[in-house]
Amino acid sequence: MITNLPPLVVMGVSGCGKSTIGALLGERLGVPFFDGDDFHPPANKAKMAAGIPLDDDDRAPWLAEIGTALATPGDGAGSRIIACSALKRSYRDLLRSFAPDLVFVHLSGEAATISGRLSSRAHEYMPSSLLASQLATLEPLAFDEAHIVADILDDPASLVDGIVRQLELSDGRQDELAGTASS
């Protein structure tokens, strides 16, 4: 049992399973889950639907909304989980400015695996053509960022088990989550 669960961001490129794993983690941990896509303003959704990658100016207000939601749960929950790409260190730094104890759960996988997943799904406004720009933008988590890396080749239940195991082992001690990977 985890007594001191920090806020979590399930991160990675489109198609890696952020929403699926985030929802399963929320159910398993009894914590509210929110999809970061729901925080995008209509202009961002329209831009992505047209196949145009967002730039940092587009992302800043969206990330601030997510940061505010992480810092102020407002629903009586002590923590929450939000799916958010969080591709750049600067984006993650902005999120941490709202929630300093934030832990990132990076769903990592090969481009071919993710591309295959994207080709078999339909998304409201995120075409698979944007995968290349997301992969080019993705900056690896640094050792000083509290995080867990999970390989998307594992099935969802195994991924969640590994993530929860890492969270239980650290039980709120972020220094123990810097540079960890689930198995």
Side-chain angles (χ1 to χ4, degrees), residues 1-5 171-172:
M1 174 153 187
I2 302 168
T3 58
N4 190 17
L5 182 67
D171 200 4

Side-chain angles (χ1 to χ4, degrees), residues 108-153:
S108 180
E110 297 295 321
T113 301
I114 296 167
S115 181
R117 288 181 177 188
L118 285 173
S119 67
S120 67
R121 74 167 198 177
H123 192 279
E124 175 188 358
Y125 55 82
M126 187 67 184
S128 59
S129 61
L130 292 179
L131 177 60
S133 71
Q134 286 203 333
L135 289 169
T137 301
L138 179 62
E139 295 174 359
L141 286 145
F143 190 80
D144 64 334
E145 296 180 89
H147 69 276
I148 297 168
V149 177
D151 187 338
I152 64 168
L153 287 179

Side-chain angles (χ1 to χ4, degrees), residues 21 107 150-164 182:
I21 299 304
L107 302 181
D151 187 338
I152 64 168
L153 287 179
D154 288 341
D155 65 275
S158 296
L159 275 172
V160 169
D161 286 346
I163 293 163
V164 169
S182 68

